[in-house]
Amino acid sequence: MKGIRWLMVLPFLGILGGIPFANKVTPYVLGMPFILFWLVAWVIMTSIIMAVVYRFDPEVREEERT
């Protein structure tokens, strides 16, 4: 796996690994319980991370040249 592709592990760790630590209801963030905010934030960050991986992956650049 290339170095930049290791970023794709972050959403997996954030969503599944962070749930036991973020499992709280009482603090509300933007009107949502914290656990719901945590999941929504990671869905948005997953999109950003995948865009960064796509942008900087050298194999994609080679395909675009041909």
Side-chain angles (χ1 to χ4, degrees):
M1 232 174 150
K2 304 259 190 224
I4 192 75
R5 291 187 182 174
W6 279 102
L7 282 175
M8 294 188 286
V9 175
L10 286 177
F12 176 77
L13 294 176
I15 292 175
L16 295 180
I19 291 294
F21 301 107
N23 194 10
K24 300 175 185 162
V25 176
T26 50
Y28 286 91
V29 180
L30 300 175
M32 296 181 281
F34 185 70
I35 188 74
L36 180 61
F37 173 76
W38 180 266
L39 292 173
V40 169
W42 271 107
V43 168
I44 293 169
M45 286 191 287
T46 299
S47 301
I48 294 169
I49 289 170
M50 291 301 149
V52 168
V53 169
Y54 179 79
R55 176 75 174 106
F56 292 109
D57 190 9
E59 291 181 15
V60 172
R61 290 183 182 181
E62 290 175 8
E63 290 177 8
E64 289 178 352
R65 289 181 190 159
T66 59

